[in-house]
Amino acid sequence: MTMELSPSPQRRRRILALWLPRLPAERLRRLGIIARQDRTPLVLSVKSGNARILYAVDLAAARLGLKAGMPLASARAMVNDLRIVEADPPADRQTLKDIADWCDRFSPFVSLDPPHGLVMDITGVGHLFADKKTGGEEAMLALLRGTLAAGGYTACAAIAGTAVAARALARFADRTIVAPGDEAASLAPLPIAALDFEPKDTHAFERAGLKTIGQVAERSRAELTARFGKEMLFKLERALGRGEKPISPRRILPAYRAERRFAEPVTSADSSPRRSRVSPDRCAA
């Protein structure tokens, strides 16, 4: 007889979001396709319609004002000495999957957040990483970022009670650990872009003078629903810690079970008077 185990519904969720902003460029350097000592600004481009745009940039290019989505022609006009490489999104996605495999040591609930992110449900496992000086979640975050940095990847990460909140903080407030229930206060000063709304919605908020998440959260829910729809409102509420949408792990989780072995085989589950009876407190759970 087996017993399925599941997290207690009373336990507050803890979500860790990981973002690898330079993954495409750093993958090339890690593989030796681009020499690590080569300091020439590096950009990766893809074709979009009849033009080419930047798919990703390295740190040197970002410091010169280049960013993903910019037309390649504009990038060339801004920076004369520029190394341009054809992007390979499938290879980048495989690298992200490989990193996700490595992250299984932190949690079995690891979900891809394309193109360059991961989300992990770490509920109930943070204490396993604690030491005498550092709390469990803080130590986990430091280990995750430090190991990836040693492997050549820039890693930003944050922990909060919902995936939307953790994801926003990883991108705009790296290394933040939000105490349970403090999501609204932690996200209030972040720009609207942190929630990754539809571009038209983000633009509409900015035109209305609402530049931070806190300013949007202060508006009436009826007004927001009428203007932007329920889906946007649901995402805002999840960011503020007032609801959550379970993450979908990329692997099917095993059925956890406990068992107890007996000296003699149990030949039947029914209590027959002709067979030796086993006390209920000795049955496998």
Side-chain angles (χ1 to χ4, degrees):
M1 183 169 63
T2 63
M3 177 178 66
E4 302 296 329
L5 303 179
S6 60
S8 167
Q10 302 301 321
R11 180 180 294 172
R12 285 181 177 268
R13 311 306 303 180
R14 299 298 288 164
I15 306 297
L16 187 154
L18 173 67
W19 183 44
L20 303 157
R22 314 289 176 208
L23 184 146
E26 290 168 345
R27 177 182 66 82
L28 297 180
R29 295 190 187 279
R30 193 170 187 273
L31 293 175
I33 298 173
I34 302 295
R36 294 195 180 191
Q37 63 271 21
D38 185 350
R39 300 306 176 191
T40 305
L42 171 66
V43 300
L44 293 87
S45 72
V46 293
K47 190 172 182 180
S48 177
N50 295 323
R52 298 194 70 83
I53 63 171
L54 301 189
Y55 170 77
V57 303
D58 72 353
L59 182 59
R63 286 174 173 170
L64 295 173
L66 306 185
K67 57 184 179 180
M70 175 184 291
L72 179 58
S74 299
R76 280 175 166 161
M78 291 175 61
V79 181
N80 292 325
D81 186 16
L82 190 64
R83 183 181 293 277
I84 304 168
V85 178
E86 180 73 19
D88 189 351
D92 295 333
R93 184 175 179 84
Q94 183 57 54
T95 298
L96 185 64
K97 289 180 179 180
D98 292 341
I99 294 174
D101 289 342
W102 175 78
C103 285
D104 282 342
R105 68 192 61 200
F106 297 100
S107 168
F109 292 88
V110 181
S111 178
L112 300 180
D113 181 21
H116 308 136
L118 299 173
V119 177
M120 291 174 267
D121 189 329
I122 59 168
T123 306
V125 301
H127 68 281
L128 300 175
F129 297 85
D131 55 35
K132 293 182 179 180
K133 297 182 179 180
T134 311
E137 291 184 348
E138 184 180 351
M140 180 189 295
L141 211 62
L143 176 61
L144 178 68
R145 298 176 76 259
T147 305
L148 287 171
Y153 292 107
T154 300
C156 302
I159 298 175
T162 70
V164 176
R167 188 179 186 277
L169 290 163
R171 286 157 173 75
F172 287 84
D174 183 27
R175 291 183 285 185
T176 297
I177 299 178
V178 180
D182 287 350
E183 285 77 16
S186 298
L187 267 68
L190 299 188
I192 295 298
L195 293 185
D196 196 27
F197 289 139
E198 291 291 331
K200 61 180 180 61
D201 292 339
T202 300
H203 183 61
F205 281 128
E206 293 173 347
R207 287 187 61 187
L210 305 176
K211 298 181 179 180
T212 67
I213 295 174
Q215 290 174 334
V216 174
E218 292 174 354
R219 307 304 288 247
S220 74
R221 297 304 182 255
E223 176 187 352
L224 293 174
T225 302
R227 178 74 182 274
F228 301 101
K230 292 183 179 180
E231 186 57 37
M232 187 285 300
L233 183 60
F234 290 156
K235 190 170 189 177
L236 175 63
E237 292 297 311
R238 291 197 299 270
L240 300 176
R242 299 167 186 164
E244 178 58 314
K245 182 178 180 181
I247 68 173
S248 300
R250 67 195 207 293
R251 292 180 176 176
I252 299 176
L253 299 180
Y256 290 95
R257 63 182 65 188
E259 66 176 28
R260 183 171 182 177
R261 297 183 179 278
F262 298 95
E264 299 293 334
V266 178
T267 59
S268 174
D270 44 82
S271 303
S272 171
R274 296 182 180 180
R275 294 190 176 97
S276 60
R277 302 182 64 178
V278 181
S279 174
D281 62 348
R282 296 190 61 197
C283 291

